[in-house]
Each structure stands twice: as C-alpha cells, then as structure tokens.
Amino acid sequence: ELADGQSQLLLAGADRVVHIWDVTTGRLVAGPNPNAKNSVCVTETGLFNCSGSTVQMWDVETGQRLWQVQDQEPILRLAASPVGSLLATSGNSPRLKIWNTTTHELVTTLEHTRGPIGSPTFSQDGQLLATASISDGLVWVWKMGHPEAILVIPEAADNSTLEAIALHPSGRYLAVGGFDWLSTSGGDGALCIWDLETRDKFATLEAGVTSLAFDRQGRYLAVGTESRSGQTVLVWDFDKQETVFELPGHHDRVNAVTFSPDGSWLVSASDDCTLRIWNVLTGRLAVARQFDAALQAIAFSPDGRYLYTGNGNTTCFRLELKKLLED
C-alpha cells in the first residue's frame, strides 16, 4: 500500500524478473511486459533486441547499452542487415521501419497494405529485404534504396498463415511457411520455395511451419514444424529437395531455428523453455538445455563463439557455444 492509497503487487519468480502491477487497474507499472515478443539479432557492431515498443543495441563485449529507440507502437520483430548498418523493425501496423544504427536515424518507412508485419529478413549481401503481411497472406520483397516493393507474392504459402520466411544466401530463393487452420484434408500447412528471378514457385512441402533458417552455404534449410502429432525440426536438403533429418524432442512451439556460421550445428528454441543443439552431419542431439522462460528468438555472433537468446520474460542470455557443447 502506497502513501496515496494506491495498491501495488510485486511478483518475482524463478526467472529472476520482478514485475510491479497496479492492483486497482491491472496495469503493469514496472518490469518487463510478459505479453511482449522478444526478438534478437547480432552483427559485427553489436546485439539488437526488442521488447514492447523499445529497441536496444548492446556492446557484446562489455554489455553496455549503446543505443535505444522508443517507438509509438509495439515492435514484434526485427532484423539487421549482415552488411551495412540497417535495422528493420515491424509490429501490428502496416509500416515497417528501417533505421541507421550508426546515426540512429529513421532512414525510411516501407508501407504495406495491412499489418501486422512479421518475419523481416535481409539477404546475405544486405541488398534485399523480405517481409510478410500476416493478415492478408502477402509476401513483399524490397530492394534497399527503392521506395516501392520489387515483388509482391499473394498466397505465398498456399492459403496458409505466414509464420516464417527465409532468404537463401544467394538472394534468389525465398522460403515461406505457415499453417492452414481451415484445412479439411488433414494437412497442417505448407512450406513453399519461390524463385525470385523467375517469380515461380518450384517446391512445396506439406508441414505446419513455425520457423525457418538457411545455413550460410545455402545447402540446408531448417524447418520448425508443428502438427497434430507434435513438434519436429526438419533438415531439408535444398539441392536434392528432400528431408535429411526429422529431429523430435520439443514439446511446444519451435519459435526459432538457426545454424552456426560454420554450418556444423543447428540450434532450436521453443516455448517449452528448452534450447536444443543438433549435429548437422549426423542429426545427433548434442545439447538439451532447460531455462526458466520460453525462448522466443536465437542468434549466433558472427564468429560463432556465442549464442544469444531472446526470452519470454524479455531478458536475453549470452551463451558460449563451446561450454554448452562441453556440458
């Protein structure tokens, strides 16, 4: 009970996070928003994460915050250009914003027909940016420096929701996946591969997709899936267009998958609060680590030494890959 008669409730749990609530209104007064999405990405210049309507940039060596920007609306996803200093942020509105991380200025705003805008992803050379308009099933492909999209793909995932997209390292191919909630045929969704040069779809895999990632060489595509039978991570050979491994073990939605920079390890993160690391050549599970909160995002440092997590309680962890594998 405060001096002005306001009642507040303080909650602290095993996740080491304190929240303060106004008991009268139910409003979160202080502490991370438990409903916020936590997204992370890492470049040579630093670590970026978003939570609520705030984007922050951190020095990965010192842990010092270098930059912070407060938007007027919640930010759900972000992506950093591997080359250059651009950061893309998106949320519930039809607007995707591009920031210069050196000058800290807003560079441009890319207008879509409808929001929310999910899964922004840059090509490896930083020239292309792909985005998904979740509510109308459109995928947009933008070329940096151009105000208009160079390609818009309707029904990009065969009448499925747009849960995840990934650009092939060559910049020519785009993987799109999601769920078909209205299917009566027993299918859970679709993964579609598009050729951006010919503008044709050349491969389709039936699966309810929650996350996607290419390895840096473009040989493999990792697919986090969810079906009536459970959650699985698939490793798909891009050239042969066939599944190499089916990796079970998660008990809830697989929010993110990523390959180590050298292509040796595949990492998956889930709402079941576990991080799993797989040997890409053998499909063997090397690490299964339990945490105190759901894992919503993961990213490797460019040198592959560290793995960063975006957690459901809006915290971030820096994990040393070598120690994870040794433990």
Side-chain angles (χ1 to χ4, degrees), residues 218-258:
R219 178 179 179 184
Y220 296 119
L221 174 65
V223 186
T225 72
E226 185 171 335
S227 67
R228 295 168 179 82
S229 58
Q231 291 74 29
T232 306
V233 177
L234 304 180
V235 179
W236 199 67
D237 189 302
F238 185 77
D239 293 327
K240 297 180 180 179
Q241 297 186 29
E242 62 182 23
T243 300
V244 180
F245 296 115
E246 295 186 16
L247 309 174
H250 283 297
H251 304 293
D252 208 335
R253 179 186 172 101
V254 181
N255 290 317
V257 288
T258 189

Side-chain angles (χ1 to χ4, degrees), residues 2-326:
L2 302 182
D4 60 1
Q6 182 185 19
S7 296
Q8 292 186 343
L9 175 65
L10 278 69
L11 297 177
D15 58 2
R16 296 168 289 177
V17 175
V18 176
H19 295 84
I20 303 176
W21 302 85
D22 185 321
V23 177
T24 304
T25 64
R27 184 175 63 89
L28 180 65
V29 177
N33 185 345
N35 297 316
K37 295 294 184 182
N38 194 354
S39 183
V40 296
C41 55
V42 188
T43 68
E44 296 285 355
T45 57
L47 165 72
F48 300 88
N49 87 294
C50 68
S51 181
S53 57
T54 303
V55 176
Q56 301 178 96
M57 177 182 178
W58 305 85
D59 186 303
V60 294
E61 295 299 330
T62 66
Q64 179 184 3
R65 186 169 62 192
L66 303 176
W67 173 56
Q68 175 176 303
V69 61
Q70 190 82 22
D71 207 340
Q72 296 179 344
E73 54 194 19
I75 298 170
L76 303 179
R77 293 287 183 267
L78 57 77
S81 170
V83 179
S85 56
L86 298 179
L87 182 74
T89 63
S90 66
N92 289 322
S93 79
R95 295 174 294 278
L96 181 137
K97 299 179 180 180
I98 306 294
W99 305 84
N100 186 306
T101 60
T102 301
T103 65
H104 308 162
E105 296 178 344
L106 179 64
V107 177
T108 187
T109 300
L110 303 179
E111 295 284 348
H112 300 68
T113 51
R114 296 177 62 185
I117 305 302
S119 305
T121 180
F122 281 95
S123 60
Q124 195 160 287
D125 63 5
Q127 294 300 307
L128 296 179
L129 173 68
T131 58
S133 185
I134 297 174
S135 58
D136 58 16
L138 298 178
V139 163
W140 303 65
V141 182
W142 308 81
K143 187 172 183 179
M144 292 298 91
H146 291 244
E148 303 293 334
I150 63 173
L151 178 63
V152 179
I153 306 174
E155 296 183 5
D158 286 357
N159 297 313
S160 297
T161 61
L162 302 182
E163 301 292 327
I165 59 178
L167 275 165
H168 189 271
S170 68
R172 177 171 178 174
Y173 305 103
L174 179 70
V176 185
F179 292 105
D180 184 357
W181 299 109
L182 301 179
S183 173
T184 58
S185 62
D188 297 296
L191 166 65
C192 298
I193 311 293
W194 292 85
D195 186 323
L196 300 183
E197 289 188 6
T198 65
R199 304 192 174 191
D200 291 326
K201 179 175 60 179
F202 73 89
T204 301
L205 177 67
E206 290 189 4
V209 177
T210 59
S211 51
L212 292 168
F214 281 102
D215 74 327
R216 189 167 291 186
Q217 291 71 39
R219 178 179 179 184
Y220 296 119
L221 174 65
V223 186
T225 72
E226 185 171 335
S227 67
R228 295 168 179 82
S229 58
Q231 291 74 29
T232 306
V233 177
L234 304 180
V235 179
W236 199 67
D237 189 302
F238 185 77
D239 293 327
K240 297 180 180 179
Q241 297 186 29
E242 62 182 23
T243 300
V244 180
F245 296 115
E246 295 186 16
L247 309 174
H250 283 297
H251 304 293
D252 208 335
R253 179 186 172 101
V254 181
N255 290 317
V257 288
T258 189
F259 289 92
S260 60
D262 65 2
S264 299
W265 307 101
L266 169 62
V267 185
S268 57
S270 170
D271 274 342
D272 65 10
C273 305
T274 64
L275 180 81
R276 292 176 176 265
I277 303 178
W278 318 81
N279 184 302
V280 174
L281 293 180
T282 65
R284 181 181 63 86
L285 177 65
V287 176
R289 176 68 64 87
Q290 185 81 28
F291 292 90
D292 297 326
L295 303 181
Q296 297 180 335
I298 46 176
F300 271 100
S301 60
D303 61 6
R305 181 180 177 185
Y306 294 110
L307 182 66
Y308 295 86
T309 68
N311 308 324
N313 60 13
T314 68
T315 62
C316 295
F317 291 147
R318 185 180 77 173
L319 309 169
E320 189 172 352
L321 179 63
K322 182 180 179 180
K323 290 185 177 179
L324 283 172
L325 296 173
E326 290 174 350

